[in-house]
């Protein structure tokens, strides 16, 4: 069974500093995708960044980068130059094709990030 | 371009009642998925539809059902509501159900069952 583990329920970071949010995953599949989503208190899920299991280079999107270590099954999110607007819940998720060809995301329990002024 | 739209935004129902939630995907997206997010947890997969056919369902009872219409919009129906059905229901769309295609989520429908 697929599983995503986020071990940091809450994190604090000073404005303008970098922060790393941890994510480990468990799967026996060779083909999968890893995603990070941001969920502000308003509830919307905002897509941040994607890493494919066959991608050799770490994904980057603006201030977001994904530190992908396949052998360790980890996909940590790095946010550089934190801003007050980055305060939100962050979810790591894994995408796989399940039986019946359904494509589903399995989410972790999330990390609540608070950026301090 | 309009994102994924869901209606209603909030809903209060009584135990035993039935509810219908609606979702319109991003234009051009043919796949719609539904997720349930209980307070304090990550979203859980309920259904995925592609080209109007159900591709799969998560570990939810038969009280949950869904369908996708010819214009690719979708409805999620929940019968015989229980207190535990109180949650944020998220709809997501994607152009195709491939493993590397990100899901684009709507703002959700917050359902409260009393």
């Amino acid at each position: 069974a697929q599983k995503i583990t986020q071990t940091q329920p809450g994190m604090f970071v000073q404005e303008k500093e970098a922060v790393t949010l941890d994510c480990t995953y468990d799967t026996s599949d060779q083909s999968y995708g890893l995603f990070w989503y941001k969920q502000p208190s308003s509830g919307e899920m905002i897509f941040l960044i994607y890493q494919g299991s066959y991608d050799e280079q770490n994904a980057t999107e603006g201030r977001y980068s994904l530190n992908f270590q396949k052998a360790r099954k980890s996909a940590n999110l790095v946010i550089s130059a934190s801003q007050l607007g980055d305060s939100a819940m962050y979810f790591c998720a894994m995408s796989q094709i399940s039986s019946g060809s359904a494509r589903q995301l399995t989410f972790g329990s999330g990390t609540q990030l608070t950026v301090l002024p | 371009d309009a994102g994924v739209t869901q209606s209603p935004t909030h809903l209060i129902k009584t135990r035993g009642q039935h509810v219908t939630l609606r979702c319109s995907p991003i234009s051009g997206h043919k796949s719609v998925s539904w997720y349930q997010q209980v307070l304090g947890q990550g979203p859980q997969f309920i259904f995925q539809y592609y080209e109007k056919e159900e591709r799969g369902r998560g570990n939810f009872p038969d009280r949950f059902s869904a369908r996708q219409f010819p214009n690719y919009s979708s409805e999620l129906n929940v019968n015989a509501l229980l207190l535990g059905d109180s949650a944020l229901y998220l709809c997501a769309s994607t152009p195709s159900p491939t493993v590397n295609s990100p899901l684009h989520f709507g703002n959700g429908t917050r359902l409260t069952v009393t």
Side-chain angles (χ1 to χ4, degrees):
Chain A
Q2 307 86 29
K3 186 176 180 181
I4 295 283
T5 302
Q6 295 181 254
T7 57
Q8 307 154 314
M11 287 282 285
F12 292 88
V13 64
Q14 209 68 37
E15 194 178 8
K16 300 180 183 177
E17 292 187 350
V19 63
T20 298
L21 306 184
D22 294 340
C23 172
T24 58
Y25 60 93
D26 188 21
T27 181
S28 56
D29 287 5
Q30 297 301 310
S31 178
Y32 52 88
L34 295 159
F35 298 82
W36 278 91
Y37 283 86
K38 171 185 178 181
Q39 188 176 43
S41 56
S42 56
E44 60 188 308
M45 294 284 283
I46 302 168
F47 165 68
L48 296 177
I49 195 166
Y50 160 80
Q51 178 85 41
S53 57
Y54 294 115
D55 295 340
E56 295 186 353
Q57 289 196 334
N58 288 340
T60 59
E61 288 286 349
R63 294 186 299 110
Y64 305 107
S65 60
L66 200 153
N67 184 1
F68 181 48
Q69 298 186 45
K70 193 170 182 177
R72 297 180 59 185
K73 292 188 175 180
S74 74
N76 298 339
L77 176 70
V78 180
I79 305 175
S80 63
S82 296
Q83 302 172 357
L84 295 178
D86 294 335
S87 294
M89 182 70 84
Y90 288 80
F91 289 99
C92 179
M94 179 167 58
S95 173
Q96 290 179 290
I97 303 295
S98 60
S99 59
S101 72
R103 179 278 182 92
Q104 65 179 82
L105 289 182
T106 300
F107 286 83
S109 56
T111 296
Q112 180 68 48
L113 176 67
T114 303
V115 181
L116 303 171
Chain B
D1 287 341
V4 176
T5 57
Q6 292 187 243
S7 63
T9 55
H10 294 83
L11 205 52
I12 300 175
K13 290 286 190 178
T14 305
R15 275 178 300 176
Q17 286 188 318
H18 162 271
V19 68
T20 298
L21 311 181
R22 295 177 175 83
C23 171
S24 293
I26 292 172
S27 177
H29 287 194
K30 297 180 180 180
S31 177
V32 170
S33 300
W34 288 93
Y35 286 77
Q36 180 197 64
Q37 186 178 19
V38 174
L39 192 63
Q41 299 181 17
Q44 297 286 322
F45 172 71
I46 310 176
F47 284 109
Q48 191 218 350
Y49 278 78
Y50 179 63
E51 289 279 18
K52 292 156 281 184
E53 291 187 1
E54 181 182 309
R55 285 294 189 94
R57 66 181 295 154
N59 188 23
F60 280 82
D62 291 343
R63 299 184 296 107
F64 288 77
S65 64
R67 55 180 176 169
Q68 188 176 32
F69 298 100
N71 65 354
Y72 302 110
S73 67
S74 178
E75 282 184 355
L76 175 69
N77 296 284
V78 187
N79 293 324
L81 285 167
L82 303 174
L83 295 179
D85 294 332
S86 295
L88 180 67
Y89 288 85
L90 295 163
C91 174
S93 75
T94 187
S96 64
T98 57
V99 73
N100 61 347
S101 181
L103 295 184
H104 299 271
F105 286 86
N107 289 348
T109 294
R110 194 166 297 278
L111 173 65
T112 302
V113 182
T114 62

